[in-house]
Amino acid sequence: MGGARRGGLLVPHVLGVLLILSEAGGGQWASASAASAPPGCAPWCPRNSVCVNATACRCHPGFSSWSGEIITSPADSCDDINECGPPLAASCGKFADCQNVDGSYYCTCSPGYGLVSGATMFRNESENTCQDVDECSSRQHPCHNSTACINTVGSYRCRCRRGWTPLPGFRDNQNTTVCEEMSFPTWTLPPGIQSQRLSGFFKRVQDLRRRFTPASAQDTVQDLIQSVDELLKAPGDLETLALPDRHHTVTHLLSGLEEVLRTLAKAVPGGSFTYQSPAGTELSLVIQEQGHGNVTLGQSHARMLLDWAVAAGAAGSGPAVAGILSNPNMQKLLANASLELDPERQAELEETHESPLYGVQLSLLSAVNSVFLSNTNTTKLDHKVTFAFSHSPEKPGTRQELICAFWKGADDGGGHWATSGCRTLGSRNNSTTCQCSHLSSFAVLMAHYDVEDELLALITTVGLALSLVCLLLCILTFLLVRPIQGSRTTLHLHLCICLFVGSAIFLAGIDNQGGEVGLRCRLVAGLLHYCFLAAFCWMALEGLELYFLVVRVFQGQGLRTRWLCLLGYGVPLLIVAISAAANKQGYGRPRYCWLDLRGGFLWSFLGPVIAIILGNAVIFVTTVWKLTRKFSEINPDVKKLKKLRVLTITAVAQLFVLGCTWVFGLFMFDPRSWMLSYVFSVLNCLQGLFLFVLHCLLNKKVREEYRKWACMVTGNKYSEFTTSTSVSSQSQTRALRSSESGI
């Protein structure tokens, strides 16, 4: 088309020169005729006009003046009308351009088009027969001999031949493209990694690079994949590398493989290529011209659905490449890799499990699927890509899920699994479907979320077990030791029974293993609600009894046993019954069999607890104050050390027995407050031990009974001094049984 185009451009210039010459001759003729014109003609008519009469002139066709067609002033002039410009643009039709000349216009075909007749110009749209000119078949193109000419509508482009790439500074598919023969990309040993096995692999890579020719691209790809399989099946000293170095090696291998395969794929003949190595690694390639629409690519390990425009990219040129390399042999190098969860997903998990996420344990279920395209800018795609990854059969358990993750290289050369930009759509028939907004090396992982502090869980388990043993000893002591029988012992007995039952249920059933809130979980939550409320009620009754014994001593004997039992067990039963009737769905949570945090249902427990703690706090302060006064009145000569000792023992007894340690739990608004969590767990799990020490080991009468039982078991004779002391203690107990405090 180049020669025809140049000829077409010369014609307008020739016509323009002829028109100017003719107009100059016409002007001379007009001047001569004006000089010899009859007296009735105006002698001042301008160029490109004709005389009408003695006072007016008319512009020639194709010309006009600012005052209109008729000129009546010598200052007017006749100027050319641009028929190709608005508002009176002439229509030349499709693939044609309008060319203006003085007094007229003509049409020519647009560059890359020509008239069927071979003419170079026409007058109007009805004469338009412009059609595309094939510059390639007519050899009217300047493409370099390293490229192939491809005709396009209205033009042409020069594309590198298969196995060739543009020279630096040139782009493919341009009219000026110049290419050179493709070479194997440079791929060397990662810096800082000392491994004989890896060094041997890269020696084989260099051999492939030296022997590479574009014609042997397909064989080179197969040999490269087999070399990678040999390395991964027997990694040798790679397994002994430090974890960061091992993951650095993985990052280097994956990124290098993608780059090499992306380059060599452009030299592979045919539109597609699939290869499966003896070790099970599979490669699928699709090479085709740029276009739009969805394309499906895959093999037995992975399938991919993407818009073909994504493969080429915004500035793509030449055939586009899309490929998936699925390698099932990377488990050894990827062992103990960490996972970086998307922040939004981590927040969702912490909200679901009602606990901070302490860690994630990973299991690799699928092959590592490296996805590569001609488009290298795949960190944020305009159109999301859908994947389906096959994996070994695995059913997620408690706090487990199947996730799609990708290998993310770190700035220091290492790497880890990550999930940002990827969303797991679902799993069935041993296949997991994911959707991602970027490309990398993907795999399906089984993630087990550690939402429990293992140290805190161990402390809780050991503490509760010890507490149960101590509470059982307390119960047996309060039942069998006759010298301490009394109203205070009855309170201690029922308090220990409630704590023992509640702690046993807590230890055995607090965790909701299935994650579903069923009848079992609701029943456990209801029993825990009742037992702990009952324990608090007995704590309140013990505080009330302490008030009667210390503050109102000699003024009353306290409540009777039947009233104590009615209040201690009836009040919590009433609270639980009302709570269950109002909202039975409030019992049970996905992780724990306890009261639901939503809707304020937890206040059915917190409300009574706060009231009891505040009441016990008032009783505690009042008791200490009264004790201080009574010690001063009754024993004015008692040494200060003894007063401090008695006050300290009383304060400690009140603090732990009356439940003031639960104050720490009331301030645990955030589960991440690990300090409060540890303090609360330690103090409350050891509450049974505290009760055993305060009410049994620190009680002289109980210690004497323990010695008596020990002698009976071992067969030793009990001493007279000990016996007389015990008898004396029993006599004192009968006299003061109703007011015995047990301290």
Side-chain angles (χ1 to χ4, degrees), residues 83-100:
E83 291 86 354
C84 297
L88 301 175
S91 176
C92 292
K94 292 177 60 178
F95 312 124
D97 301 318
C98 178
Q99 304 292 335
N100 183 66

Side-chain angles (χ1 to χ4, degrees), residues 71 253 272 279 287 309 359 364 403 424 443 598 642 644 647 723:
I71 300 174
L253 286 174
S272 62
I287 308 103
L364 181 61
I403 62 172
T424 304
R598 295 169 297 182
K642 187 174 181 180
L644 292 175
L647 286 174
T723 304

Side-chain angles (χ1 to χ4, degrees), residues 675-742:
M675 180 65 74
L676 285 177
S677 299
Y678 274 84
V679 172
F680 174 75
S681 298
V682 170
L683 292 180
N684 284 278
C685 288
L686 298 180
Q687 200 168 35
L689 176 62
F690 296 148
L691 289 173
F692 178 68
V693 172
L694 292 172
H695 294 304
C696 297
L697 296 183
L698 295 181
N699 191 311
K700 185 177 181 181
K701 300 180 181 62
V702 174
R703 291 199 305 270
E704 291 175 354
E705 287 296 315
Y706 285 167
R707 293 193 191 99
K708 183 177 179 181
W709 292 349
C711 292
M712 293 174 60
V713 172
T714 59
N716 295 330
K717 185 177 180 182
Y718 193 62
S719 67
E720 294 294 334
F721 176 76
T722 304
T723 304
S724 62
T725 303
S726 175
V727 171
S728 176
S729 299
Q730 292 179 14
S731 300
Q732 294 176 11
T733 301
R734 294 189 190 97
L736 301 174
R737 179 171 296 171
S738 61
S739 61
E740 177 62 42
S741 64

Side-chain angles (χ1 to χ4, degrees), residues 580-600:
N583 182 16
K584 64 179 181 180
Q585 303 298 326
Y587 287 99
R589 282 152 58 179
R591 185 185 175 195
Y592 296 121
C593 296
W594 182 233
L595 307 184
D596 196 350
L597 300 177
R598 295 169 297 182

Side-chain angles (χ1 to χ4, degrees), residues 350-373:
E350 291 181 350
E351 181 179 357
T352 300
H353 297 294
E354 302 170 0
S355 172
L357 193 61
Y358 294 101
V360 184
Q361 300 175 19
L362 302 176
S363 298
L364 181 61
L365 302 183
S366 70
V368 178
N369 304 281
S370 298
V371 181
F372 55 92
L373 306 174

Side-chain angles (χ1 to χ4, degrees), residues 8-9 11-13 15 84 92 97-101 104-108 120-123:
L9 293 174
V11 173
H13 293 289
L15 290 175
C84 297
C92 292
D97 301 318
C98 178
Q99 304 292 335
N100 183 66
V101 294
S104 185
Y105 74 95
Y106 64 93
C107 299
T108 60
T120 58
M121 60 170 44
F122 55 95
R123 181 67 181 176

Side-chain angles (χ1 to χ4, degrees), residues 522 525-530 533 570-588 594-596 598-609:
R522 298 190 191 281
L527 290 175
L528 288 175
H529 190 196
Y530 175 75
L533 277 181
V571 171
L573 181 62
L574 180 63
I575 294 174
V576 172
I578 295 175
S579 301
N583 182 16
K584 64 179 181 180
Q585 303 298 326
Y587 287 99
W594 182 233
L595 307 184
D596 196 350
R598 295 169 297 182
F601 189 73
L602 189 61
W603 285 100
S604 62
F605 176 74
L606 291 180
V609 167

